[in-house]
Amino acid sequence: MDPPVIGDAFGEMIRDAYAVRTGIGPRPLAGGRLPRPVIEVIERDDGLINGAPADHYLDEPDAWQPYDHRALRLCRGRVLDVGVGAGRSALELQRRGFAVTGLDTSLGAIEVARKRGLHDTVLNTVDEFSRASVRYDTFLLLGNNLGLLEGPERAPVFLAALARLASPGARIVAQGTDPYGTRDSLHVAYHRRNIERGRLGGQLRLRLRYRELATEWFDYLNCSATELEDLLVGTAWRLKSIDDRDRPYYLAVMELAG
Amino acid sequence: MDPPVIGDAFGEMIRDAYAVRTGIGPRPLAGGRLPRPVIEVIERDDGLINGAPADHYLDEPDAWQPYDHRALRLCRGRVLDVGVGAGRSALELQRRGFAVTGLDTSLGAIEVARKRGLHDTVLNTVDEFSRASVRYDTFLLLGNNLGLLEGPERAPVFLAALARLASPGARIVAQGTDPYGTRDSLHVAYHRRNIERGRLGGQLRLRLRYRELATEWFDYLNCSATELEDLLVGTAWRLKSIDDRDRPYYLAVMELAG
């Protein structure tokens, strides 16, 4: 059995989801005839696989979850949307008059965000981009992108990169998921195994697949608010507030210390 | 990375799709809270992966494709629904007063079909079941189940099993897909590679995955009507008609020869 090809699985998925929603560009076909809904497939390293419709990456504000609306009200000044994807949040901030930059490592995602009207985009990692001389007042990590902290090893490196890009008084507004509320035995066993290996319980090892493409395996972190506070120790950031009205999802606001 | 567990992936998927649609039984949750749509994930041996919503397995007749309606009008006498799944077609035949038996190798599928009201079910392969003394007038293979012919090696064995279960004058009503109309370069390359290996172009090698489960790899055949006629040579069956009004999908009717 051939392995998938390593490539921009996320970007190709976003391109297709955009084509299906708008009718612009070639659409994926079922049986050569019927447009099919675009599905995001995520594999976890314990053999778990999950599919979910990808269309939500393109949702207009009227279809958003309530915490996404509350997140945008926490933005101020110049905003860097980290992991901008198809531009869902950044486009709305732009409509509201914010100076917003969308950053992503996926070329396909950036191209779709630009087609949808996002003016200022960066195709890069935060690490590389943090050498730029530009500064931001808010770093926005929606769509569960608090997960980009990955785990105890990556988190301080990632947070230091954001600190280099930070204006005085800057904040991070991030949406995360507390993994420990589940009663799903597959997830409970996975958390336990992670802890036995010295990882955080919700330190997921994932890859995304779309058609013939896959990403490399990467860590993606679901952590509790307490674990987040621990990860901030020794960094330039401190936890200012947690809004967990939509548990297990939450919004964390972090501010530059001192 | 751990491989998935070999098991009744199809059945667990059908159970969950039934639970999501009806609210009966435990439903799969996203983040421990929101019910998520159940997605069927199919891997092909060239590394291709596809996800599609599984809910259609439970569709009532008003949501069917037109060829499914025409297929039911081709049934007569006692009907064996081969690969009955969640019982979509068999339940409608039963409502119309047909004597219909639903056969499947998936325990989960059979259990859902019974919960939905299907009276006569068999958990077995056609090969094993063909030792039974019961006889049928129609073998119904919908949901693309002409694919169960698998390829040139399996097709005569499968067709002989159906012949052993056949009353005089029996017919097979099967829905297939002609694979050769596609312009998708991934599929065109796959067909070419198959032919180079001495397989039929549309002889797909697949496995189904659902959560932690996977089926074994199996062959599933998309063939043209011409290829189907070739596969029938030397069997007890001959092609009576092809209805390809919904190309690339078609209905094939085969009858006992002589």
Side-chain angles (χ1 to χ4, degrees), chain B residues 159 169-172 228-229 232-241 252-258:
Chain B
L159 292 164
R171 51 172 50 183
I172 300 170
L228 176 59
E229 267 198 291
L232 295 179
V233 172
T235 75
W237 304 92
R238 65 175 173 210
L239 188 60
K240 192 186 173 229
S241 68
V253 177
M254 292 154 268
E255 289 190 331
L256 276 182

Side-chain angles (χ1 to χ4, degrees), chain B:
Chain B
M1 308 303 143
D2 299 340
V5 176
I6 303 297
D8 187 11
F10 183 76
E12 290 305 307
M13 179 189 82
I14 292 292
R15 276 188 221 274
D16 280 354
Y18 179 70
V20 167
R21 186 181 273 225
T22 63
I24 301 170
R27 278 165 294 164
L29 302 174
R33 212 178 58 119
L34 304 166
R36 58 165 82 216
V38 173
I39 302 291
E40 180 172 33
V41 173
I42 298 175
E43 276 187 297
R44 202 168 65 182
D45 64 344
D46 60 343
L48 182 72
I49 202 159
N50 264 315
D55 191 55
H56 69 92
Y57 285 105
L58 299 157
D59 273 347
E60 297 296 331
D62 59 358
W64 289 2
Q65 296 297 318
Y67 45 80
D68 286 328
H69 288 286
R70 299 202 298 275
L72 260 52
R73 292 199 290 269
L74 294 165
C75 293
R76 53 190 194 193
R78 298 192 64 174
V79 179
L80 182 66
D81 186 336
V82 180
V84 67
R88 193 175 68 170
S89 312
L91 282 161
E92 177 60 17
L93 285 172
Q94 185 177 282
R95 276 192 286 265
R96 295 185 191 177
F98 279 82
V100 55
T101 302
L103 177 142
D104 213 291
T105 58
S106 161
L107 174 62
I110 289 285
E111 287 186 356
V112 168
R114 295 193 69 89
K115 268 191 206 160
R116 298 176 78 204
L118 189 61
H119 301 312
D120 189 16
T121 58
V122 175
L123 176 67
N124 211 342
T125 62
V126 288
D127 309 76
E128 291 289 330
F129 185 58
S130 72
R131 298 175 189 171
S133 57
V134 62
R135 295 289 174 272
Y136 294 93
D137 302 295
T138 302
F139 302 94
L140 188 61
L141 286 78
L142 295 188
N144 212 41
N145 268 343
L146 185 62
L148 296 173
L149 291 182
E150 294 187 16
E153 204 166 313
R154 170 71 179 152
V157 180
F158 180 86
L159 292 164
L162 295 191
R164 283 194 295 278
L165 289 164
S167 298
R171 51 172 50 183
I172 300 170
V173 176
Q175 187 256 308
T177 303
D178 186 323
Y180 303 115
T182 184
R183 282 167 298 178
D184 185 321
S185 63
L186 274 180
H187 296 319
V188 171
Y190 188 79
H191 299 158
R192 192 184 316 120
R193 195 174 77 149
N194 258 342
I195 289 163
E196 286 165 9
R197 294 177 177 188
R199 292 161 63 86
L200 288 177
Q203 199 173 340
L204 313 179
R205 187 125 188 104
L206 306 175
R207 68 173 179 177
L208 199 143
R209 293 181 63 178
Y210 184 68
R211 287 174 48 90
E212 80 280 24
L213 298 176
T215 64
E216 302 278 8
W217 290 93
F218 59 90
D219 279 355
Y220 199 72
L221 184 64
N222 285 344
C223 65
S224 67
T226 309
E227 288 172 329
L228 176 59
E229 267 198 291
D230 290 346
L231 289 169
L232 295 179
V233 172
T235 75
W237 304 92
R238 65 175 173 210
L239 188 60
K240 192 186 173 229
S241 68
I242 292 279
D243 162 1
D244 64 355
R245 270 180 279 173
D246 298 298
R247 269 189 301 270
Y249 311 111
Y250 61 84
L251 291 173
V253 177
M254 292 154 268
E255 289 190 331
L256 276 182

Side-chain angles (χ1 to χ4, degrees), chain A residues 80-152:
Chain A
L80 182 66
D81 185 338
V82 181
V84 68
R88 194 175 64 169
S89 313
L91 282 161
E92 177 60 17
L93 285 172
Q94 186 177 279
R95 275 191 286 265
R96 295 185 192 177
F98 279 82
V100 56
T101 303
L103 177 143
D104 212 290
T105 58
S106 162
L107 176 61
I110 289 286
E111 288 186 356
V112 169
R114 294 193 69 88
K115 268 192 206 161
R116 297 177 77 204
L118 188 62
H119 302 311
D120 188 15
T121 58
V122 175
L123 175 67
N124 211 340
T125 61
V126 287
D127 310 76
E128 290 290 330
F129 185 58
S130 71
R131 299 176 190 170
S133 59
V134 60
R135 296 290 174 271
Y136 295 94
D137 302 294
T138 303
F139 302 94
L140 189 61
L141 286 77
L142 295 189
N144 212 40
N145 268 343
L146 185 62
L148 296 173
L149 292 182
E150 294 187 15

